[in-house]
Amino acid sequence: MTRTSRHSAPAGPQTPPKLDKGAMRIVSLGGLEEIGRNMTVFEFGGKLLIVDCGVLFPEEHHPGVDLILPDFSYLRDRLNDIVGIVLTHGHEDHIGGVPYLLKERSDIPLISAKLTLAFIKTKLQEHRITAKTVQVKEGDRKKFGPFDLEFLAVNHSIPDGMAVAIRTGAGLVLATGDFKMDQFPLDGRITDLAGFARLGEEGVDLFLPDSTNADVPGFQISEQDLAPAIDEVFRTAPRRIIVSSFASHIHRIQQVIDAAHLYGRKVAFVGRSMVRNMKTARELGYLNVPRGMLVDFKELDKMAPTKAVLICTGSQGEPMAALARMASQDHMIDLTEGDTVLLASSLIPGNETSIYRLINDLTKLGANVVHKGNAKVHVSGHASAGELVYCYNLVRPRNVMPVHGEHRHLKANAELAVRTGVDPKRALVVEDGTTIDLKDGVARVSGQVKADYVYVENMIAGAATEESLQDRIRLAEDGAVTVLAIVNPDSGKLEEDPEFFPVGFAPAAGELEKATGIVEKTLAGLKGDKTGPDAEKAIAEALVRWSDRQLRRKPVVTVVIVEA
């Protein structure tokens, strides 16, 4: 499988050498130069520790794909060396790939906080996997093989986020996970800056900070600052309110529930992941829903529109999510004139077209759409530049490898590190698959390993390849042609002119028949069997080249040869 040119490996060192004694090797199999698929592998003393194992959500050039996984081939021969998987928090881009890795070795311990483990357990049930779990909390310090792990609280857009400090004989590594520095979080759980400073005093040899908002100046506003805008929506909405959010954004959903309660509205959850996650959050005490306030969404039709609130998934314009189906009028819930739709989430890079299309479709139905672009209804869960600089000055790392972001985010983060005093040679902006070796306080690029996209369809990893996706795109853009050729097996010549059956485009009358000469010429140039699969393939390739020259399109061509 090959990757798109955007993710191709750079020139330079490839297969890394054998790891030096006393050194640690770090390789991200996802999460660099992309938003999602976060997964980093640490090697020391012959053992491996994994931090996060997430998914990337497909874009428009991934037709038919459900999820994109990290490439596990780097681990496949060493699965028994893995001592555990640390999950920093419960978002899909950090935990979504876990079931697929556990299918390769089911007893790898999952190490995380209570809510994160609860989310992953429900996900694993769909795959019929029972995992070995180790619950930890901030302040805990535990050893897994040669890795001495300390967990620190960080504030994010989901409860129970944690950073992890990794101590080995090679030095101290601090990975932040996704974090920000909200000083007034809804749950009162702030990022452990004192812990960061303490580790800085100890000496952090390698710092792996979240880069998602590294190019955004200043500091993030507090989640509490959104309350007035959300209150305004609930105070003024003339009919139903439909709120779309990530199914794991418990803090935002709590704010919506609080506002609904204040204005005497009932709430219904819509969408399988939303219902599942909110049930888990309520049972564990992370979400407070007043008694009698939660109803089944089918009951909302019986209620006055001024008393109804729906909370659903689909804020990123995902075509199969509840909100997109409402917008396309393919859902049990019909949006009508005067309904208010609140998109309570960020705009993830790459999803812009889908989100704006969704907003347009909702507006056409008469809905009033409130989103980050026209109201203060969302704050990011990721630290901005000011927060990152603050952390650099606390941690004072010897080496930095920015993670979690596209190239521009990683570069911006590295530049912040350099401005705070990090040696430019030790601020490493690398891509997925680049191996970094840490020894004697210095981190250096040592090689490159395979870190391809692995596509998931219908819960099957590897069901699609880059080649099959290109075929799908060609089918969508250029159509397809089936060619029926009747060939005499003795002479190797056409018995009659081939028939052409185009699908997805309408060539001018007789246009395709001009390619008969191409079929004849290709058959004449073949050696050996002229009626088998090799002949069909050769004719198809020749016809694609002809079509590209003559028709300015490259349809998917299927040739069927029938012996006369």
Side-chain angles (χ1 to χ4, degrees), residues 250 253-254 257 269 278 281-289:
I250 297 170
I253 293 167
Q254 183 68 67
I257 288 172
F269 295 124
M278 292 309 105
R282 290 181 67 200
E283 290 173 348
L284 296 180
Y286 290 91
L287 184 71
N288 178 35
V289 182

Side-chain angles (χ1 to χ4, degrees), residues 295-317:
V295 298
D296 187 280
F297 78 88
K298 296 176 184 177
E299 297 180 27
L300 295 182
D301 285 339
K302 306 172 186 176
M303 299 169 53
T306 56
K307 297 295 183 182
V309 177
L310 294 91
I311 302 178
C312 66
T313 55
S315 58
Q316 297 302 305

Side-chain angles (χ1 to χ4, degrees), residues 391-408:
C391 287
Y392 280 125
N393 287 329
L394 285 177
V395 175
R396 301 191 302 280
R398 295 186 178 93
N399 303 271
V400 173
M401 187 181 95
V403 294
H404 307 170
E406 296 178 343
H407 184 83
R408 60 192 171 95

Side-chain angles (χ1 to χ4, degrees), residues 539-550:
I539 294 171
E541 291 174 348
L543 289 173
V544 169
R545 291 192 295 270
W546 174 85
S547 178
D548 189 27
R549 292 193 307 270
Q550 299 298 318

